Amino acid sequence: MTAQQQVLWKNGVLQAVEPLDASQALAWQRGRLVFKSQPLEEVFAELARYRDGRVLFLDEQSRRLAVTGVFSRQQPQAVFDAVEATLPVKLTRLPGLLLVSAKAPDSEPR
């Protein structure tokens, strides 16, 4: 590895060397969560560090949806609101559980 590179440990496996985005990696120090084309499953896994409750994906399609944005770490609900407003997913909130499913194509607002 050289400067401006990183290696991640994910799901018990050492990942390949990749470029380091220092502004994204250090955003937590400024109270920010930065996502750049990250799968929704990874975004919600990061949010789990800042809120209680579990997330259950009901289909593979919703897991892979890409999320890009900058959010306040202190307001994880804002991420859920933005995801639901901009991505074709439905979030069903139950006590201690968030269900995530892809919206059917015919359920889009007209």
Side-chain angles (χ1 to χ4, degrees):
M1 286 183 48
T2 63
Q4 301 302 314
Q5 290 183 323
Q6 68 179 353
V7 174
L8 301 176
W9 180 265
K10 193 182 289 185
N11 299 324
V13 177
L14 194 60
Q15 305 297 303
V17 174
E18 60 186 43
L20 171 66
D21 182 345
S23 64
Q24 183 175 1
L26 299 175
W28 65 272
Q29 292 178 331
R30 296 183 308 276
R32 299 277 180 222
L33 299 170
V34 180
F35 305 110
K36 292 182 181 176
S37 297
Q38 287 181 257
L40 187 58
E41 182 176 36
E42 289 180 18
V43 170
F44 283 1
E46 177 67 19
L47 289 174
R49 298 173 59 194
Y50 306 103
R51 64 176 290 278
D52 292 330
R54 297 186 58 205
V55 175
L56 179 63
F57 286 87
L58 302 179
D59 55 74
E60 193 61 33
Q61 180 183 353
S62 61
R63 288 179 192 273
R64 294 189 310 259
L65 291 170
V67 176
T68 297
V70 179
F71 303 94
S72 169
R73 191 176 67 213
Q74 288 75 30
Q75 297 177 335
Q77 184 60 46
V79 181
F80 297 130
D81 294 344
V83 162
E84 197 165 31
T86 60
L87 295 177
V89 296
K90 178 181 178 190
L91 304 182
T92 303
R93 294 159 178 87
L94 301 171
L97 181 64
L98 178 67
L99 301 175
V100 183
S101 60
K103 283 185 183 174
D106 60 325
S107 68
E108 294 295 319
R110 296 183 195 265

